[in-house]
Amino acid sequence: MAVCFILGLGSLVSWNSMLTIGDYYYQLFPKYHPARVLTLVYQPFAIGTMIILAYYESKINTRMRNLAGFTLFFASTFLVLVLDLATSGKGGIGPYIGICVLAACFGIADAHVEGGMVGDLCFMCPEFMQSYLAGLAASGALISVLRILTKAAFDRAHDGLRKGAILFLAISTFIEFLCIILYAIYFTNLPIVKYYRSKAASEGSKTVSADLAAAGIQTMTNDQGGYNTQKRLSNKQLFHENLDYAVDLFFIYALTLSIFPGFLYENTGTHQLGSWYPVVLVAVYNVVDLMARYIPLVQWLKLESRKALLIATLSRFLLIPAFYFTAKYGDQGWMILLVAFLGLTNGYLTVCVLTVAPRGYKGPEQNALGNLLVLCLLCGICAGAVLDWLWLVGKGSF
């Protein structure tokens, strides 16, 4: 569970670093809406790559897929750091395009890692999935807490925002390197991971063979009688059987990303917290999102009913008018409370859906379903990133 947590941390820490230093990018590129544009650049590459990987999921070497993703995360994060150092923190269209290109690389890496890890963990303990998803949220919480500390330390210093940004990128680069080592060497050799992968291989999964070989376990082909030849459900059949779960994840993230982070940076007005206001809002969301992902570990608090999950997901759309009227008429305390509720429901429902959905399927089907659900999640994020622009309608700031 600890390793899954760290791998989850590495799956989003680079991207969350880029989002959390949004105030630095707004200083460099004030006219280019960086919080919104970078998200919009990131998502098409994540979705396009994920569609290809989900379609060919049963034929893809999961070990190489995850290692390629973590390596690309490491290289891209390092290059964002190098770009800032090389340009001495100067703005302009050139560096902005470079950052957009690297954001696209983050999207490609995310599709490799998130789909690969979720698919892999779908045929293991639900607690592993919960821990990985908590790691995803922890990446945002860690960077947000660091952002507050560095803002407090460097707020009055020359180039304080830039110093904080450089620190985030350096930490993210180290975490990505750690994930490469952990996944390549340690995770594969854990006895319980070997057990679940061997079980999946016996049920017909071919995606785990490279990881088993790296752990010193030989898998047998169909001719040797090692695989269960029972026909698995197609991706289309799996999608139809789990359409409600797919809808849940799509709408959870479409709603969340229509508000976070663009609305929080650009549409919440000026309050007593001043320049701290968006930083605090982002931190509150990330910390509560992380805490919420541990609630389903308490069995009686875990929502497992398919109908109840769908109702809870759709009811979150009431948050849109709530945010609109709070930003227009409310004080900062009410906005902080709303952002906390947004994070609470996002984290809680995500874990409930992704730990309940794979039940009752064989290893190959669970892996395929995990990839399909991540694809729906990414589509929801992309839809939310597009819908986020609607908050600017009528404000003359396009």
Side-chain angles (χ1 to χ4, degrees):
M1 287 180 69
V3 176
C4 288
F5 181 88
I6 296 171
L7 293 174
L9 185 68
S11 298
L12 271 184
V13 71
S14 295
W15 176 238
N16 274 318
S17 293
M18 189 171 278
L19 289 182
T20 306
I21 60 177
D23 50 353
Y24 172 57
Y25 285 140
Y26 272 98
Q27 184 185 77
L28 291 184
F29 316 109
K31 297 180 180 179
Y32 298 147
H33 305 290
R36 287 182 161 101
V37 172
L38 292 177
T39 304
L40 207 56
V41 169
Y42 174 93
Q43 287 308 319
F45 285 91
I47 291 174
T49 306
M50 192 63 223
I51 289 173
I52 296 170
L53 293 173
Y55 184 79
Y56 292 106
E57 158 274 328
S58 62
K59 302 175 182 176
I60 292 174
N61 180 330
T62 299
R63 179 177 176 79
M64 295 306 299
R65 171 181 176 172
N66 287 332
L67 286 175
F70 282 122
T71 302
L72 183 56
F73 266 134
F74 169 75
S76 301
T77 310
F78 183 67
L79 287 174
V80 173
L81 180 60
V82 169
L83 179 63
D84 189 85
L85 294 173
T87 59
S88 300
K90 299 287 176 59
I93 191 65
Y96 190 65
I97 291 174
I99 290 171
C100 287
V101 170
L102 292 171
C105 292
F106 284 157
I108 295 170
D110 182 25
H112 278 78
V113 170
E114 198 169 343
M117 287 301 303
V118 169
D120 216 14
L121 297 175
C122 272
F123 53 74
M124 299 187 194
C125 294
E127 289 81 6
F128 291 178
M129 178 72 78
Q130 180 276 328
S131 191
Y132 176 77
L133 295 173
L136 292 177
S139 63
L142 170 67
I143 295 300
S144 291
V145 170
L146 285 173
R147 182 70 195 93
I148 290 174
L149 294 176
T150 55
K151 186 171 177 61
F154 300 135
D155 203 25
R156 298 185 183 279
H158 176 66
D159 270 353
L161 283 175
R162 182 168 180 251
K163 290 174 182 175
I166 290 172
L167 177 63
F168 296 142
L169 294 172
I171 291 172
S172 299
T173 303
F174 171 75
I175 291 174
E176 298 300 353
F177 179 73
L178 179 63
C179 286
I180 295 172
I181 302 301
L182 272 179
Y183 187 84
I185 300 171
Y186 189 71
F187 185 68
T188 296
N189 288 293
L190 290 172
I192 194 166
V193 173
K194 291 180 184 178
Y195 164 76
Y196 279 114
R197 283 180 170 155
S198 296
K199 183 174 180 288
S202 71
E203 293 170 345
S205 178
K206 298 178 182 178
T207 61
V208 296
S209 56
D211 280 301
L212 288 172
I217 300 174
Q218 295 298 319
T219 56
M220 293 184 290
T221 64
N222 286 332
D223 295 336
Q224 295 170 308
Y227 286 143
N228 185 337
T229 56
Q230 181 179 356
K231 187 177 179 181
R232 55 154 279 189
L233 295 175
S234 68
N235 284 355
K236 185 177 180 180
Q237 290 171 316
L238 281 171
F239 184 77
H240 284 160
E241 287 187 6
N242 295 276
L243 184 60
D244 55 333
Y245 291 132
V247 168
D248 288 340
L249 286 173
F250 178 85
F251 283 128
I252 287 169
Y253 282 87
L255 185 279
T256 298
L257 268 292
S258 69
I259 296 168
F260 177 88
F263 178 86
L264 302 185
Y265 273 109
E266 298 186 23
N267 297 88
T268 50
T270 303
H271 294 271
Q272 293 172 331
L273 287 171
S275 63
W276 281 85
Y277 192 45
V279 176
V280 169
L281 291 178
V282 170
V284 167
Y285 169 84
N286 283 322
V287 170
V288 176
D289 183 35
L290 170 61
M291 294 167 59
R293 295 183 186 224
Y294 284 94
I295 295 175
L297 286 178
V298 182
Q299 192 58 40
W300 63 274
L301 291 176
K302 186 175 182 180
L303 193 60
E304 298 185 350
S305 165
R306 299 176 77 144
K307 186 179 291 186
L309 281 169
L310 187 59
I311 292 171
T313 298
L314 296 178
S315 65
R316 291 178 82 235
F317 279 94
L318 293 172
L319 287 171
I320 292 177
F323 270 95
Y324 174 78
F325 288 110
T326 302
K328 195 169 184 180
Y329 305 110
D331 198 2
Q332 59 189 23
W334 289 106
M335 182 60 73
I336 290 171
L337 184 64
L338 263 185
V339 169
F341 187 74
L342 181 72
L344 175 72
T345 52
N346 185 85
Y348 174 75
L349 291 173
T350 298
V351 172
C352 288
V353 171
L354 284 173
T355 53
V356 170
R359 290 179 182 175
Y361 292 106
K362 297 291 185 183
E365 294 164 341
Q366 290 171 322
N367 190 26
L369 179 59
N371 277 269
L372 289 172
L373 292 178
V374 170
L375 175 59
C376 294
L377 183 154
L378 291 176
C379 288
I381 292 175
C382 187
V386 173
L387 292 171
D388 189 32
W389 286 85
L390 295 178
W391 294 106
L392 296 180
V393 172
K395 294 188 179 294
S397 52
F398 279 102

